[in-house]
Amino acid sequence: MDMPKIESRVFDALVVGAGFSGLYQLHCLRDKLGLSALVLEAGAGVGGTWYWNRYPGARCDSESHGYCYTFSKELFDGWEWSERYPGQPEILRYLNYVADRLDLKRDIRFDSRVKGARYDEGANFWRIVTNDGAEISARYLITAVGCLSTANIPDFPGLADFKGQWVHTGQWPHKGVDFSGKRVGFIGTGSTGIQAIPVIAETAAHLTVFQRTANYSVPARNAPLTPEFRHYVSENHAAIRRATRSTQNGQPFGIEDRSAFDVPPERRLELYEAAWNKGGLQFRATFRDLLANKAANDTAADFIKSKIRQIVKDPATADKLADIDHPYAAKRPPIDTDYFETYNRANVSLVDVRVAPIEAITRSGLQTRDGREYALDIIVFATGFDAMTGPLLRMNIAGRDGLTLAEAWRAGPRNYLGLQVAGFPNLFMITGPGSPSVLTNMPVAIEQHVEWITGCIAHMRERGIARIEARPESMDRWVKTVNEAADATLLPMARHSWYLGANVPGKPRVFMPYAGGMVRYRSICDDLVRKGYEGFALSR
Ligand code: NA7
């Protein structure tokens, strides 16, 4: 790709990241507000998550008609999805379509990672330095770095000496990985592992899955979209947009307004069976109290565990897969294509590494604490991400008086609405910790944040306001609100979840996303705008 010729070093706005968030933010600032804006992107192309996560089976868990921008009918009408859940290559094509259609690439500097960003109070400018030494100044700094973009690679001793190949799913080689005839070790059974394991099993000589925490999964029931459904989508832009903006999770389907105990047990099973056959995240929407009431949750959990035991033929393997230690959907609930069925293949085996953790990577494979060694040619790390705070902290952002974001967040992320931090004027975060983000359909959360930030910057420019930042007391209030929202659900019961930062050793255990739902969140954000940006300090 040709590098755009970017001569200027001073911009109204600098956006970091060219995924769903950064592309839309650039369009809004440049084409709606008429600002000079630049995007810095570490990858060689647009796409963010969908640029990096190219592992076999990578696919979106939200349905395609809801997993896209809805701000422009023209953009919506100009694209047709092919499957119920879009695969990674198709989403990447979609984001390139958007970037080309809106002529965004000319203002994106690719292969460019932020090494540091410092607020210069005297000049009221952000000074940004990239890995290749470029120095850029901007009035507004907007992070569009995604929530899951810093790979978590466990610090196993011996990895550097492994003589086979190893890869992390979030940094997948562009040329792919050839598993044919290979002994593959696969670490991790989160959403990523559950997608990749069935596909890799098809070509590997042998696949050994190392499972630390057993996980629920519901069939996705992916399929090509029928001509009737495509027609429905093409005729219903406004209705789909309305639907995704009216549900708590930003999905184009609502949560049934009934308790699991409003129906007799036999009827409950019928409803679960129907949801299982329909497939997808909608399973969670069968009853309204699945994430609020442990007894209600148990009915869903028991149903899925019974399905695992029906599908998996070897009882010892079924036991390991069904021995799940958290409520259903308290961790991010995966959906799959033939995940549990894959364990019936002769070339797949499952090792429980909760009982005997992985102790080391050896030159020829992997060793667990019980002294067993597994000979491997390739090791796949589907070990997740330093979620939400990781991508922000690695940019080495320093605000007023040199206070770093890492210092400000030593005890966990503290901000206002996930958007702004006291001491960091004119720094905006798209889908930052403290916002609904990963608990919702991401493009919907992203459109809301981008539009809020755009409106805020327009407000400042119209009124000659030079700086905006969160007030410390607003952050205190918001942290409390985020905790209360989480505590009203079963989400904190999953003690090992990345929502809590528990997957990264040493990371503060704080429930990061706002669990109060997209509708409530949007109304809080809109309301404080009406009250003159209540909770923020604005200065001329
Ligand atoms: P996740 O959901 O964080 O899953 C990572 C998996 O890797 C999970 O099963 C972990 O077990 C496992 N893991 C992590 N470290 C280790 C070590 N040291 N030993 C053994 N196993 C380990 O990441 P994903 O990429 O699957 O999904 C991230 C999100 O991307 C997903 O939720 C969607 O929103 C898209 P653990 O559960 O921590 O015991």
Side-chain angles (χ1 to χ4, degrees), residues 509-530:
R509 300 260 173 132
V510 175
F511 194 87
M512 292 183 284
Y514 171 65
M518 204 52 221
V519 173
R520 193 181 310 163
Y521 179 79
R522 187 190 300 276
S523 92
I524 295 170
C525 291
D526 291 348
D527 194 44
L528 60 89
V529 170
R530 277 192 293 274

Side-chain angles (χ1 to χ4, degrees), residues 172-237:
W172 203 256
H174 283 211
K175 59 179 179 9
V177 179
D178 183 6
F179 292 102
S180 48
K182 296 287 180 7
R183 296 163 304 176
V184 182
F186 195 102
I187 307 172
T189 52
S191 302
T192 299
I194 281 174
Q195 287 187 338
I197 286 164
V199 185
I200 295 176
E202 284 172 16
T203 50
H206 194 89
L207 179 67
T208 309
V209 177
F210 297 91
Q211 169 189 277
R212 187 163 69 179
T213 306
N215 214 338
Y216 300 95
S217 186
V218 168
R221 312 270 181 223
N222 187 36
L225 293 177
T226 60
E228 295 74 35
F229 192 78
R230 287 175 195 233
H231 181 71
Y232 158 78
V233 173
S234 69
E235 294 291 303
N236 282 286
H237 166 258

Side-chain angles (χ1 to χ4, degrees), residues 148 154 156 187-192 212-213 331-332 382-385 498:
L148 298 159
F156 295 128
I187 307 172
T189 52
S191 302
T192 299
R212 187 163 69 179
T213 306
K331 280 185 155 188
R332 165 69 157 71
T383 43
F385 302 89
W498 59 257

